[in-house]
Amino acid sequence: MNASNVINNKLAFVLSGGGARGALQVGSLYSLLENGFMPDLLVGTSIGAVNAAFLAVHGFSKGGLDLLTGAWHRAAELDLLPNNYVRLSLSAMLGRSSNNPAGQIREFMIKSGLTPELRFADIKHPQLNIVSSDLSTGKPVLHGESPNDLVLDALLVSTALPPWVMPVHNKQQVLMDGGVVSNLPIESALQAGATRIVALDLSDMRETFGGKRGLGLFLNNLAYAMERREGDLELRLARAQGVPVFHLRLMGKDPTPILDFHHVDELIAQGYEITCQAIANEQTWHFAP
């Protein structure tokens, strides 16, 4: 299907959360670019917010995607989210944490061009919106509606996932990772004016936390159940509003735990191939179920 047949006023790319699986989105975005799809709006949550913000700053282009690929490689080398969440949780509860993942993540984002003074008003095209969760209301928060909002601040709350990064108390709000209440933020894209949506969905029930039993398996099943329920509701909302959605389920050949950042190139290649095949099959373009 030709991109010109899909774009109608405002085409939004919606990028879900999914930790290390976010590399699949990078490959998917390469394919979308090659096939002529140019977003007017980027809406992301959690790792999807990072991908979206990076491209909003560096441009949705071959060069911008190459820079994003390089950032993914650097993130893997730095091990920003160490895979010892049980020990980190205990340390956080006891107030004995010896490292500072939040500070490391912030420094990484700044070195990637997402500077502390950058405001949403500084991003001209495509429009950028970032989604976090407000634990005090149970609702998503759409950052960027105010042009003076700081992009880095929005990113830090959209990716605030305990025990690595604690929720942020902001006035009457308690903000944390956007995936908690809206892992596939279609509702936020509709709020921002999207008339067509490409949704890059990373939800995958296979070994999300790398555990096949016990706590890892429980956390995996819990996270997946929440993501699927939220995603289904947001897809139905798009249908109710008459907004067509190209819903791309980006699942790698093998399960990738959200903390395993050591398969960047393989996941990028797989995301690219999944999207090329989907675009070639016009039946995958449909109104949300």
Side-chain angles (χ1 to χ4, degrees):
M1 177 175 289
N2 188 283
S4 62
N5 294 329
V6 177
I7 297 176
N8 176 22
N9 296 328
K10 183 178 278 191
L11 174 62
F13 287 1
V14 170
L15 282 66
S16 84
R21 295 195 299 270
L24 288 161
Q25 291 178 344
V26 181
S28 180
L29 290 163
Y30 271 111
S31 177
L32 290 167
L33 176 66
E34 287 183 5
N35 284 278
F37 296 98
M38 299 299 294
D40 302 295
L41 169 64
L42 294 168
V43 179
T45 192
S46 196
I47 195 63
V50 178
N51 285 338
F54 194 99
L55 291 177
V57 170
H58 295 284
F60 183 62
S61 63
K62 173 65 163 54
L65 285 167
D66 288 345
L67 288 172
L68 180 56
T69 299
W72 270 87
H73 285 132
R74 291 194 301 276
E77 294 170 0
L78 292 170
D79 192 24
L80 293 175
L81 295 178
N83 194 11
N84 56 347
Y85 56 88
V86 174
R87 182 167 63 83
L88 282 169
S89 298
L90 291 173
S91 297
M93 287 188 291
L94 296 172
R96 297 176 182 174
S97 180
S98 61
N99 57 10
N100 181 19
Q104 295 170 355
I105 293 170
R106 184 177 189 277
E107 186 64 24
F108 172 79
M109 291 182 180
I110 291 173
K111 289 183 178 179
S112 298
L114 303 169
T115 56
E117 67 275 6
L118 180 68
R119 299 183 184 276
F120 284 88
D122 299 322
I123 299 173
K124 304 304 180 184
H125 190 84
Q127 175 185 335
L128 172 67
N129 288 106
I130 291 171
V131 178
S132 69
S133 300
D134 182 1
L135 298 186
S136 65
T137 64
K139 295 180 180 180
V141 176
L142 185 60
H143 301 270
E145 287 190 305
S146 172
N148 289 324
D149 285 351
L150 293 169
V151 174
L152 182 58
D153 286 354
L155 275 177
L156 292 176
V157 293
S158 181
T159 56
L161 182 64
W164 299 274
V165 183
M166 293 295 107
V168 176
H169 293 258
N170 178 18
K171 297 180 181 179
Q172 301 300 316
Q173 297 175 313
V174 182
L175 303 177
M176 68 171 291
D177 191 289
V180 172
V181 299
S182 183
N183 198 56
L184 188 65
I186 290 173
E187 178 184 8
S188 294
L190 296 171
Q191 184 178 339
T195 57
R196 298 271 176 167
I197 294 173
V198 175
L200 305 186
D201 188 353
L202 299 173
S203 60
D204 186 347
M205 71 178 299
R206 302 170 301 168
E207 295 189 50
T208 301
F209 286 88
K212 297 182 180 180
R213 60 183 180 178
L215 180 60
L217 179 61
F218 168 73
L219 291 174
N220 172 49
N221 291 341
L222 177 63
Y224 182 73
M226 293 170 59
E227 289 174 5
R228 284 303 304 270
R229 176 61 174 166
E230 294 164 4
D232 287 347
L233 289 173
E234 300 210 29
L235 286 164
R236 291 179 184 277
L237 179 62
R239 181 179 183 180
Q241 296 190 15
V243 174
V245 178
F246 179 18
H247 183 204
L248 269 169
R249 295 293 300 276
L250 299 177
M251 293 177 59
K253 294 178 180 177
D254 298 308
T256 301
I258 64 170
L259 306 177
D260 186 356
F261 284 78
H262 298 98
H263 305 280
V264 170
D265 290 329
E266 299 97 310
L267 292 175
I268 290 176
Q270 291 169 29
Y272 176 84
E273 184 62 28
I274 291 169
T275 306
C276 286
Q277 292 179 3
I279 291 173
N281 179 9
E282 292 192 12
Q283 291 181 354
T284 62
W285 287 91
H286 57 81
F287 281 89

